[in-house]
Amino acid sequence: MIKYKTREEIEIMRESALIVSKTLGVMAEKIEPGVTPLELDKIADEFIRDHGGVPAFLGLYDYPKSIITSVNEQVVHGIPTDRPLEEGDVVGVDIGVLKNEYYGDHAYTFAVGEIADDVKKLLRVTKECLDKGIEQLVVGNRIGDLSFAIQQHAENHGYGVVRELVGHGLGRKMHESPEVPNFGKRGRGSKIQEGLVVAIEPMINMGTRRVIQLNDGWTIITADKKPSAHFEHDVAVVDGKPEVLSTFKYVEEALEKKNAVIV
């Protein structure tokens, strides 16, 4: 059952989402060749707690860390390790925060130093997929309209759209109804109504859409070991239109300051 949110609840959720946004901004400052995902995890955990939130992923379904770091062919759910990031890597950082009993959850895929042009294009197109999905989140549409827009844009560029993992409703639980696939047909799925809040999160692969889960029970990788990208926003339907509760502003400011790749 979909739980539609009041304006007051949406404003509370915006607080949680903005802590995630600011934490991703800190990640943007810190990500460079030589830093380890474990170091990022520690920094993020402390920042979230210092800003009145709780790291939402820690212990969720027994997940062992505070953030998710998915490197190169890792699509999502990568567990932070002590392997230093290297020049040319990409790392998707997915962060969840619980504050005032409501969740925020969003993600950004970062370039580590200079990256290949084809990988840069993958990141740019995946971020565009997110924007195109958000545009469809209006009263009168269905979830399938959003899903179709994401799939069409990715596949028009020859990329694979992951089927096994999807976006989701968000609220007092991290994962609520409805599911928000990144593939689908127009006119299908739940009707979009006022007060809907969802996490839209395209997961787009440079090659095949097929994925494999590693033996750690968490990490999902591309079957052909080609890079994958993941961007995510929390979006509410307010006055019939999409209102993005999270923001990439802090990420972009940090990347611009260090002259890093901005997609």
mmCIF file of all heavy atoms in Angstrom, residues 206-226:
data_model
loop_
_atom_site.group_PDB
_atom_site.id
_atom_site.type_symbol
_atom_site.label_atom_id
_atom_site.label_comp_id
_atom_site.label_asym_id
_atom_site.label_seq_id
_atom_site.Cartn_x
_atom_site.Cartn_y
_atom_site.Cartn_z
ATOM 1 N N MET A 206 27.514 0.228 -18.789
ATOM 2 C CA MET A 206 28.108 0.549 -20.079
ATOM 3 C C MET A 206 27.846 -0.553 -21.101
ATOM 4 O O MET A 206 27.687 -0.279 -22.290
ATOM 5 C CB MET A 206 29.613 0.775 -19.927
ATOM 6 C CG MET A 206 30.284 1.172 -21.230
ATOM 7 S SD MET A 206 32.036 1.551 -21.042
ATOM 8 C CE MET A 206 31.939 3.161 -20.262
ATOM 9 N N GLY A 207 27.795 -1.793 -20.651
ATOM 10 C CA GLY A 207 27.575 -2.916 -21.549
ATOM 11 C C GLY A 207 26.254 -3.620 -21.268
ATOM 12 O O GLY A 207 25.188 -3.018 -21.302
ATOM 13 N N THR A 208 26.350 -4.906 -20.962
ATOM 14 C CA THR A 208 25.154 -5.715 -20.730
ATOM 15 C C THR A 208 24.359 -5.228 -19.520
ATOM 16 O O THR A 208 24.926 -4.686 -18.565
ATOM 17 C CB THR A 208 25.536 -7.186 -20.517
ATOM 18 O OG1 THR A 208 24.336 -7.960 -20.305
ATOM 19 C CG2 THR A 208 26.445 -7.372 -19.313
ATOM 20 N N ARG A 209 23.060 -5.456 -19.571
ATOM 21 C CA ARG A 209 22.225 -5.143 -18.410
ATOM 22 C C ARG A 209 22.320 -6.228 -17.339
ATOM 23 O O ARG A 209 21.890 -6.017 -16.209
ATOM 24 C CB ARG A 209 20.768 -4.988 -18.835
ATOM 25 C CG ARG A 209 20.084 -6.257 -19.305
ATOM 26 C CD ARG A 209 18.621 -5.992 -19.591
ATOM 27 N NE ARG A 209 17.904 -7.129 -20.121
ATOM 28 C CZ ARG A 209 17.365 -8.102 -19.388
ATOM 29 N NH1 ARG A 209 17.491 -8.083 -18.067
ATOM 30 N NH2 ARG A 209 16.706 -9.096 -19.952
ATOM 31 N N ARG A 210 22.899 -7.376 -17.682
ATOM 32 C CA ARG A 210 22.951 -8.512 -16.749
ATOM 33 C C ARG A 210 23.911 -8.237 -15.606
ATOM 34 O O ARG A 210 24.970 -7.637 -15.785
ATOM 35 C CB ARG A 210 23.354 -9.796 -17.474
ATOM 36 C CG ARG A 210 22.330 -10.264 -18.500
ATOM 37 C CD ARG A 210 22.631 -11.663 -19.020
ATOM 38 N NE ARG A 210 23.960 -11.742 -19.596
ATOM 39 C CZ ARG A 210 24.971 -12.420 -19.074
ATOM 40 N NH1 ARG A 210 24.829 -13.081 -17.934
ATOM 41 N NH2 ARG A 210 26.145 -12.450 -19.681
ATOM 42 N N VAL A 211 23.518 -8.687 -14.420
ATOM 43 C CA VAL A 211 24.326 -8.473 -13.220
ATOM 44 C C VAL A 211 24.493 -9.781 -12.452
ATOM 45 O O VAL A 211 23.757 -10.740 -12.650
ATOM 46 C CB VAL A 211 23.698 -7.396 -12.301
ATOM 47 C CG1 VAL A 211 23.651 -6.053 -12.999
ATOM 48 C CG2 VAL A 211 22.312 -7.819 -11.837
ATOM 49 N N ILE A 212 25.491 -9.771 -11.564
ATOM 50 C CA ILE A 212 25.815 -10.927 -10.727
ATOM 51 C C ILE A 212 25.998 -10.437 -9.298
ATOM 52 O O ILE A 212 26.568 -9.366 -9.069
ATOM 53 C CB ILE A 212 27.124 -11.602 -11.203
ATOM 54 C CG1 ILE A 212 26.984 -12.104 -12.642
ATOM 55 C CG2 ILE A 212 27.528 -12.738 -10.271
ATOM 56 C CD1 ILE A 212 28.306 -12.493 -13.265
ATOM 57 N N GLN A 213 25.532 -11.217 -8.331
ATOM 58 C CA GLN A 213 25.784 -10.884 -6.924
ATOM 59 C C GLN A 213 27.008 -11.656 -6.435
ATOM 60 O O GLN A 213 27.128 -12.864 -6.666
ATOM 61 C CB GLN A 213 24.575 -11.235 -6.049
ATOM 62 C CG GLN A 213 24.742 -10.778 -4.604
ATOM 63 C CD GLN A 213 23.507 -11.029 -3.768
ATOM 64 O OE1 GLN A 213 23.018 -12.143 -3.691
ATOM 65 N NE2 GLN A 213 22.996 -9.986 -3.125
ATOM 66 N N LEU A 214 27.931 -10.951 -5.767
ATOM 67 C CA LEU A 214 29.129 -11.598 -5.252
ATOM 68 C C LEU A 214 28.820 -12.409 -3.994
ATOM 69 O O LEU A 214 27.745 -12.292 -3.401
ATOM 70 C CB LEU A 214 30.203 -10.541 -4.955
ATOM 71 C CG LEU A 214 30.712 -9.730 -6.159
ATOM 72 C CD1 LEU A 214 31.856 -8.809 -5.720
ATOM 73 C CD2 LEU A 214 31.164 -10.651 -7.294
ATOM 74 N N ASN A 215 29.810 -13.188 -3.579
ATOM 75 C CA ASN A 215 29.618 -14.096 -2.442
ATOM 76 C C ASN A 215 29.467 -13.378 -1.109
ATOM 77 O O ASN A 215 29.087 -14.012 -0.115
ATOM 78 C CB ASN A 215 30.792 -15.080 -2.358
ATOM 79 C CG ASN A 215 30.790 -16.076 -3.502
ATOM 80 O OD1 ASN A 215 29.745 -16.374 -4.080
ATOM 81 N ND2 ASN A 215 31.970 -16.592 -3.849
ATOM 82 N N ASP A 216 29.767 -12.060 -1.077
ATOM 83 C CA ASP A 216 29.562 -11.341 0.192
ATOM 84 C C ASP A 216 28.085 -11.122 0.498
ATOM 85 O O ASP A 216 27.724 -10.644 1.569
ATOM 86 C CB ASP A 216 30.316 -10.010 0.201
ATOM 87 C CG ASP A 216 29.844 -9.013 -0.860
ATOM 88 O OD1 ASP A 216 28.779 -9.225 -1.461
ATOM 89 O OD2 ASP A 216 30.560 -8.014 -1.091
ATOM 90 N N GLY A 217 27.218 -11.502 -0.460
ATOM 91 C CA GLY A 217 25.779 -11.383 -0.253
ATOM 92 C C GLY A 217 25.236 -9.989 -0.495
ATOM 93 O O GLY A 217 24.028 -9.761 -0.367
ATOM 94 N N TRP A 218 26.084 -9.059 -0.881
ATOM 95 C CA TRP A 218 25.674 -7.664 -1.081
ATOM 96 C C TRP A 218 26.051 -7.118 -2.458
ATOM 97 O O TRP A 218 25.201 -6.650 -3.192
ATOM 98 C CB TRP A 218 26.297 -6.762 0.011
ATOM 99 C CG TRP A 218 25.614 -6.902 1.319
ATOM 100 C CD1 TRP A 218 26.044 -7.614 2.401
ATOM 101 C CD2 TRP A 218 24.349 -6.339 1.692
ATOM 102 N NE1 TRP A 218 25.122 -7.533 3.419
ATOM 103 C CE2 TRP A 218 24.087 -6.748 3.010
ATOM 104 C CE3 TRP A 218 23.424 -5.530 1.040
ATOM 105 C CZ2 TRP A 218 22.931 -6.372 3.685
ATOM 106 C CZ3 TRP A 218 22.277 -5.149 1.707
ATOM 107 C CH2 TRP A 218 22.048 -5.568 3.018
ATOM 108 N N THR A 219 27.335 -7.178 -2.771
ATOM 109 C CA THR A 219 27.843 -6.460 -3.936
ATOM 110 C C THR A 219 27.283 -7.009 -5.244
ATOM 111 O O THR A 219 27.353 -8.205 -5.510
ATOM 112 C CB THR A 219 29.378 -6.530 -3.975
ATOM 113 O OG1 THR A 219 29.898 -6.128 -2.711
ATOM 114 C CG2 THR A 219 29.926 -5.615 -5.061
ATOM 115 N N ILE A 220 26.735 -6.107 -6.060
ATOM 116 C CA ILE A 220 26.212 -6.456 -7.377
ATOM 117 C C ILE A 220 27.178 -5.910 -8.424
ATOM 118 O O ILE A 220 27.512 -4.714 -8.407
ATOM 119 C CB ILE A 220 24.812 -5.843 -7.602
ATOM 120 C CG1 ILE A 220 23.846 -6.257 -6.485
ATOM 121 C CG2 ILE A 220 24.274 -6.221 -8.974
ATOM 122 C CD1 ILE A 220 23.513 -7.716 -6.451
ATOM 123 N N ILE A 221 27.632 -6.769 -9.350
ATOM 124 C CA ILE A 221 28.546 -6.329 -10.403
ATOM 125 C C ILE A 221 27.946 -6.608 -11.778
ATOM 126 O O ILE A 221 27.042 -7.426 -11.920
ATOM 127 C CB ILE A 221 29.928 -7.013 -10.295
ATOM 128 C CG1 ILE A 221 29.816 -8.522 -10.582
ATOM 129 C CG2 ILE A 221 30.553 -6.774 -8.931
ATOM 130 C CD1 ILE A 221 31.158 -9.213 -10.781
ATOM 131 N N THR A 222 28.469 -5.928 -12.784
ATOM 132 C CA THR A 222 28.048 -6.195 -14.152
ATOM 133 C C THR A 222 28.618 -7.538 -14.603
ATOM 134 O O THR A 222 29.753 -7.888 -14.273
ATOM 135 C CB THR A 222 28.532 -5.085 -15.091
ATOM 136 O OG1 THR A 222 29.958 -4.965 -15.007
ATOM 137 C CG2 THR A 222 27.904 -3.748 -14.731
ATOM 138 N N ALA A 223 27.833 -8.265 -15.369
ATOM 139 C CA ALA A 223 28.263 -9.600 -15.808
ATOM 140 C C ALA A 223 29.463 -9.533 -16.733
ATOM 141 O O ALA A 223 30.262 -10.476 -16.786
ATOM 142 C CB ALA A 223 27.099 -10.315 -16.492
ATOM 143 N N ASP A 224 29.618 -8.421 -17.477
ATOM 144 C CA ASP A 224 30.745 -8.302 -18.404
ATOM 145 C C ASP A 224 31.902 -7.492 -17.830
ATOM 146 O O ASP A 224 32.873 -7.211 -18.525
ATOM 147 C CB ASP A 224 30.287 -7.690 -19.741
ATOM 148 C CG ASP A 224 29.629 -6.319 -19.564
ATOM 149 O OD1 ASP A 224 29.668 -5.763 -18.436
ATOM 150 O OD2 ASP A 224 29.061 -5.814 -20.548
ATOM 151 N N LYS A 225 31.773 -7.100 -16.536
ATOM 152 C CA LYS A 225 32.816 -6.360 -15.808
ATOM 153 C C LYS A 225 33.055 -4.950 -16.364
ATOM 154 O O LYS A 225 34.067 -4.326 -16.049
ATOM 155 C CB LYS A 225 34.145 -7.133 -15.781
ATOM 156 C CG LYS A 225 34.053 -8.536 -15.208
ATOM 157 C CD LYS A 225 33.751 -8.525 -13.718
ATOM 158 C CE LYS A 225 33.699 -9.937 -13.144
ATOM 159 N NZ LYS A 225 35.016 -10.590 -13.157
ATOM 160 N N LYS A 226 32.123 -4.443 -17.163
ATOM 161 C CA LYS A 226 32.230 -3.062 -17.627
ATOM 162 C C LYS A 226 31.652 -2.124 -16.568
ATOM 163 O O LYS A 226 30.852 -2.538 -15.730
ATOM 164 C CB LYS A 226 31.511 -2.895 -18.963
ATOM 165 C CG LYS A 226 32.201 -3.616 -20.115
ATOM 166 C CD LYS A 226 31.492 -3.357 -21.433
ATOM 167 C CE LYS A 226 32.212 -4.059 -22.579
ATOM 168 N NZ LYS A 226 31.541 -3.819 -23.890
#
